[in-house]
Amino acid sequence: MRPRSRATLLLAAFLALALLLPLGGCAPRSAPEDTAGDGGEDTVLLGFSQLGRESAWRMGNSRDIQEAAERAGVQLMYDNAQQEQENQIKAIRSFIAYQVDVIAFAPIVEQGWDTVLTEARDAGIPVLLTDRFIVTEDPSLYVGYVGADFLAEGRKAGAFLVEKADREGLEDLKIVELSGTLSSTPMQQRSSGFREMIAGDARFEILETVSGDFLRSKGKECMIALLERHERIDVLFSHNDSMTLGAIEAIEEAGLRPGEDIIIITVDGEQAAIDLLQEGKINCVVECTPMLGDIIMDLTKKLAAGEEIPRVTHPEEDVFCEFDADLMDIPPRGY
């Protein structure tokens, strides 16, 4: 572990710093929202910046990380960035001031991290990305990534649509896509993977792609607009369940039957989406598990001990669809 003062002494020092720095106009935004762990002398300190609370997936991810830290005896400084990159940058700087052992964060967008992550590297603090990647010309700014294979998720979504068209003899399918936050890793890779699977197949045409920012309210708003703009929509590919739930509201309000009049493919695997899959209102759910906490804590401990970790770590993920024989036996999702 990198030499530093013990957790309890650091906390007092950080709080003192927080009181003094506002006079110079460069204080961290706030003390951490939450801590976990016993705070003992050998406790590993992890600073974690979550991008927000935009969905049940994200809240499940936050809860899992907090519970995993408790189980692992890792002291957790948790910060909610409330969907603002500026808040995440401030949180990372507060973690640096606090001299945590490891920084982990789920970046809101891919660009704009080089300066603050250079500060972390210069302070000797390894940075772990989770859930999303960043774009940088200096790969040494982070030591590893934990999260889904978004490109594979997009491919799974596309593979389901191809299989459904093959099974049912479907032709001339008009597709609309509800994408996630622009410039985010899942938005770009899910879209690329999906397109890769249907490319060159004359049965499929993507009419339009609009961003719903992974939000239920925007998913509904965007779907209303799509239904108004297009005379016929046969398929909806949505990048997350929250947007899908909003879109289904819009589809039903338009007098259409989700899952029948419009084939619906969604990503995440929230309980609400699985329920609708079982009701026949969703045709395919591509899993993107938020349960990353134990992996993050294991890698955090290794980094704090000076060990090397894999550059990329993906959890195991599944696909649930209307063709599954055990569709009604899916265990509770927990998010």
Side-chain angles (χ1 to χ4, degrees):
M1 184 183 296
R2 179 173 44 80
R4 58 167 178 77
S5 303
R6 298 306 184 200
T8 52
L9 295 178
L10 275 173
L11 180 57
F14 178 75
L15 292 175
L17 180 65
L19 291 172
L20 292 172
L21 282 176
L23 298 176
C26 54
R29 178 165 57 95
S30 65
E33 285 188 3
D34 184 59
T35 59
D38 59 17
E41 291 191 352
D42 296 323
T43 299
V44 173
L45 282 85
L46 169 65
F48 181 79
S49 174
Q50 182 62 279
L51 63 85
R53 290 171 52 87
E54 80 284 2
S55 64
W57 189 101
R58 187 65 55 191
M59 290 184 281
N61 177 242
S62 297
R63 182 172 59 252
D64 186 62
I65 288 168
Q66 291 165 333
E67 291 174 355
E70 194 74 41
R71 289 192 298 270
V74 171
Q75 186 172 356
L76 178 67
M77 291 179 60
Y78 176 89
D79 186 274
N80 175 8
Q82 300 176 349
Q83 305 294 133
E84 296 289 342
Q85 183 179 29
E86 180 183 356
N87 291 342
Q88 283 199 299
I89 291 172
K90 289 178 180 179
I92 292 169
R93 288 196 167 119
S94 75
F95 299 153
I96 295 170
Y98 191 54
Q99 300 177 33
V100 300
D101 292 301
V102 178
I103 292 171
F105 76 111
I108 294 172
V109 295
E110 292 187 338
Q111 294 83 12
W113 303 103
D114 283 27
T115 299
V116 70
L117 295 190
T118 298
E119 295 170 17
R121 185 184 60 189
D122 291 347
I125 303 173
V127 173
L128 187 64
L129 303 181
T130 177
D131 182 43
R132 301 181 181 184
F133 281 99
I134 64 170
V135 172
T136 177
E137 294 183 359
D138 186 354
S140 72
L141 292 179
Y142 66 95
V143 295
Y145 164 82
V146 178
D149 185 337
F150 301 116
L151 191 63
E153 291 173 352
R155 289 170 178 159
K156 291 173 184 177
F160 166 78
L161 184 58
V162 171
E163 180 181 1
K164 185 170 178 66
D166 288 344
R167 283 186 179 222
E168 300 179 9
L170 304 177
E171 300 283 346
D172 188 28
L173 294 176
K174 308 295 186 184
I175 304 166
V176 294
E177 180 181 28
L178 279 177
S179 82
T181 304
L182 296 176
S183 297
S184 69
T185 309
M187 171 264 160
Q188 296 182 77
Q189 294 190 0
R190 285 171 183 164
S191 188
S192 295
F194 181 76
R195 281 165 168 73
E196 178 184 318
M197 296 305 295
I198 65 173
D201 193 325
R203 294 176 296 178
F204 308 117
E205 178 188 357
I206 298 178
L207 298 174
E208 189 174 354
T209 298
V210 293
S211 172
D213 263 339
F214 294 119
L215 300 172
R216 180 167 181 159
S217 59
K218 289 197 69 174
K220 181 175 182 178
E221 175 186 320
C222 291
M223 195 67 207
I224 289 171
L226 288 167
L227 289 166
E228 290 175 348
R229 283 198 293 270
H230 300 286
E231 183 177 347
R232 189 180 110 225
I233 295 174
D234 302 305
V235 181
L236 166 64
F237 171 44
S238 172
H239 288 198
N240 88 329
D241 292 343
S242 287
M243 292 189 299
T244 303
L245 296 175
I248 286 175
E249 290 179 17
I251 291 168
E252 291 183 324
E253 288 174 8
L256 299 170
R257 298 167 298 173
E260 296 184 42
D261 296 323
I262 299 178
I263 299 165
I264 297 182
I265 306 168
T266 185
V267 182
D268 273 353
E270 296 178 7
Q271 187 63 55
I274 296 298
D275 292 343
L276 290 178
L277 172 65
Q278 293 170 332
E279 292 176 26
K281 293 185 177 183
I282 289 177
N283 305 85
C284 178
V285 178
V286 178
E287 182 180 31
C288 178
T289 181
M291 307 307 184
L292 305 175
D294 288 333
I295 300 174
I296 292 171
M297 298 312 144
D298 179 61
L299 297 179
T300 292
K301 286 186 170 182
K302 289 179 178 178
L303 289 170
E307 300 177 25
E308 292 188 1
I309 66 168
R311 184 68 174 170
V312 175
T313 303
H314 294 312
E316 292 185 7
E317 296 178 328
D318 206 345
V319 178
F320 310 101
C321 78
E322 62 188 0
F323 304 135
D324 296 342
D326 58 352
L327 181 60
M328 304 308 293
D329 299 325
I330 300 172
R333 306 297 295 155
Y335 61 98

